[in-house]
Amino acid sequence: MAQQTLKKTVVQTPQVAAPSLVPMTEPAPELSVILPAFNERANIPMMVERLAKALNGIDWEVIVVDDNSPDGTSALARDIGSRDRRVRCIRRVGRRGLAGACIEGMLASNAPYVAVMDADGQHDETLLAAMVGKLRSCETDLVVASRYIGGTTDAGFSAARAKASQWSTALARRLLKVELTDPMSGFFMLRREVIDELAPKLSTQGFKILLDIAATGRDTLRIAELPFVFGRRRHGESKLDARVALDFGQLLLAKLTNDAVSYRFVLFCLVGLTGIGAHMATLGLLHGIGVPGFGVQQTIATMVAIVWNYVFNNAYTYRDQRLTGWAFIRGLLVFELVCSVGAISNVGVASLIYTGGPSWWIAGLGGAVMGAVWNYTVSAAVVWKAA
Ligand code: GDD
Ligand code: MN
């Protein structure tokens, strides 16, 4: 029995060397299907059923990666898993994000091949066998199910989303030089070595995991594409919203600057710009209602701007590690402190540049950049610590 299994595995995955020290008793399956899932309880049983049917003849498992969904997705996945060892579940607590969930799922696999697909029935699982075939042929490292080579998006896509998808695809191809017709596809399969190697360089934020993999492994990956039709989701609703545009911007920026400019920093600066608006509005109001003393007005306006910045950074820039309850209050106090020091360094640097001779605006800008970098770096370290 053990020998039979061994033979089967060797035939299917000749590129994987058998471990020498540990005897082969029950080897890992050939394929792990990663299902990132947030509030997909209603879809999981259907997915398992469909996978079992489509993967008949292939040794497979499914790994549901749930971000502690309130609907109890992981409890259900575990319940199925307790009766069917092919069904595994990773429950992530205190974390959110599609890309990170996919990466963790893939890294938890021992199979030579790993697939990622939506947990909602939108991706045609009957394509998986053909994808395995591509990888078995040893000429491909990554197989992508593409909507743009004969596949369509009619059923699962609104007109506006189709446009946005085409536009971002063109941009990604041009800027990141990724040779994929559909780099935004959420349906693909790869050799596990690929992800083992690239994982430390991938972004866990955002939605665009495939684009990240293709851009990061650009020079080495052998890629194949297969057409598919993007279907309708069965139950529940899409988790993709306006934020994916931001996520996309983040990835482009990081990849284009070799990770030098973090998207968080850009968001932090954008929030800071709105904070200036809040500052000026408050100042105008206090001035208008006749609060005595410019110093007092300016101090109150500064405090308001800092609270403003804190609230929006907590909601957007650090959406994935948002502080709540007591941690929110504590974070606010620390942020006030950090930004007060930032303001002092801002003025200090600006004065220093100013006395050196160049124009007032270079000095002002220098101070502002200094303040922003300080606020960002220190608040990342002491307010939102996990950054
Ligand atoms: N664990 C986890 N955490 N899973 C998540 C999260 C998250 O934060 N956000 C979304 N998911 C899961 C969903 O439950 C679903 O199974 C899958 O990831 C994709 O999310 P959907 O909400 O179904 O996205 P979509 O169908 O609108 O978008 C699909 O098509 C896009 C192409 O236009 C996805 O496949 C995208 O990856 C793809 O880019
Ligand atoms: Mn979907």
Side-chain angles (χ1 to χ4, degrees):
M1 164 69 193
Q3 271 212 329
Q4 240 178 7
T5 331
L6 173 68
K7 204 166 147 210
K8 190 173 110 201
T9 308
V10 171
V11 168
Q12 285 176 349
T13 61
Q15 75 282 15
V16 175
S20 50
L21 294 176
V22 181
M24 184 82 81
T25 47
E26 203 167 349
E30 184 182 18
L31 170 70
S32 298
V33 179
I34 314 303
L35 297 183
F38 192 76
N39 283 342
E40 303 288 6
R41 185 188 169 93
N43 289 313
I44 299 296
M46 164 200 77
M47 287 304 300
V48 174
E49 232 170 77
R50 281 164 61 158
L51 287 173
K53 210 163 143 201
L55 294 172
N56 193 10
I58 294 176
D59 192 0
W60 64 280
E61 68 177 352
V62 59
I63 304 178
V64 176
V65 189
D66 166 58
D67 285 358
N68 208 22
S69 306
D71 78 345
T73 299
S74 51
L76 180 85
R78 288 207 191 289
D79 184 52
I80 303 176
S82 68
R83 282 169 283 125
D84 181 345
R85 64 164 66 223
R86 296 173 304 185
V87 180
R88 294 172 54 199
C89 176
I90 297 176
R91 176 181 167 204
R92 305 198 310 160
V93 179
R95 271 173 297 166
R96 265 305 297 276
L98 178 55
C102 294
I103 293 169
E104 262 178 63
M106 289 190 273
L107 290 179
S109 162
N110 276 322
Y113 306 147
V114 186
V116 170
M117 64 195 294
D118 280 14
D120 56 12
Q122 286 193 280
H123 293 150
D124 179 4
E125 71 286 350
T126 61
L127 206 63
L128 288 168
M131 294 165 110
V132 168
K134 283 270 180 207
L135 294 187
R136 278 182 189 163
S137 77
C138 291
E139 281 152 19
T140 307
D141 303 308
L142 168 66
V143 195
V144 178
S146 167
R147 296 160 293 178
Y148 302 131
I149 42 164
T152 58
T153 59
D154 296 354
F157 246 31
S158 70
R161 233 186 102 172
K163 261 257 142 337
S165 172
Q166 281 162 14
W167 183 82
S168 49
T169 298
L171 197 69
R173 289 177 55 141
R174 178 165 299 201
L175 291 180
L176 301 183
K177 307 205 169 41
V178 167
E179 294 299 325
L180 279 175
T181 59
D182 194 0
M184 312 297 159
S185 176
F187 186 16
F188 57 91
M189 190 186 291
L190 41 72
R191 295 182 191 284
R192 207 198 65 236
E193 303 107 80
V194 172
I195 202 69
D196 284 341
E197 192 188 323
L198 297 183
K201 297 182 206 136
L202 300 176
S203 160
T204 55
Q205 308 291 309
F207 269 67
K208 302 307 171 199
I209 175 71
L210 172 64
L211 175 60
D212 199 358
I213 291 172
T216 308
R218 190 167 43 211
D219 302 326
T220 50
L221 287 181
R222 296 166 304 165
I223 303 177
E225 296 186 292
L226 293 174
F228 92 109
V229 179
F230 191 53
R232 279 185 204 286
R233 118 190 311 279
R234 278 303 170 94
H235 302 280
E237 52 194 38
S238 170
K239 280 87 204 171
L240 255 154
D241 57 22
R243 279 188 325 236
V244 297
L246 292 179
D247 289 337
F248 179 63
Q250 160 180 21
L251 194 62
L252 278 187
L253 198 70
K255 291 294 153 201
L256 282 175
T257 61
N258 232 339
D259 287 320
V261 179
S262 95
Y263 182 68
R264 255 200 232 281
F265 180 64
V266 174
L267 263 191
F268 192 84
C269 291
L270 285 179
V271 168
L273 283 181
T274 68
I276 295 178
H279 183 113
M280 296 313 282
T282 313
L283 196 60
L285 187 78
L286 296 174
H287 194 72
I289 59 175
V291 172
F294 180 75
V296 177
Q297 295 170 6
Q298 174 73 351
T299 308
I300 297 176
T302 305
M303 290 298 161
V304 169
I306 293 177
V307 174
W308 173 284
N309 285 354
Y310 176 73
V311 169
F312 284 97
N313 278 320
N314 193 48
Y316 294 105
T317 316
Y318 289 96
R319 174 171 60 90
D320 54 322
Q321 52 199 80
R322 202 173 280 169
L323 302 173
T324 53
W326 278 114
F328 179 87
I329 308 283
R330 185 195 154 277
L332 175 61
L333 296 177
V334 179
F335 191 72
E336 282 276 354
L337 208 70
V338 170
C339 292
S340 305
V341 179
I344 296 170
S345 72
N346 174 343
V347 174
V349 167
S351 317
L352 204 72
I353 300 178
Y354 190 72
T355 49
S359 60
W360 61 270
W361 63 268
I362 296 185
L365 198 67
V369 169
M370 173 67 210
V373 170
W374 163 272
N375 287 351
Y376 176 72
T377 315
V378 180
S379 69
V382 297
V383 182
W384 294 281
K385 289 191 200 94

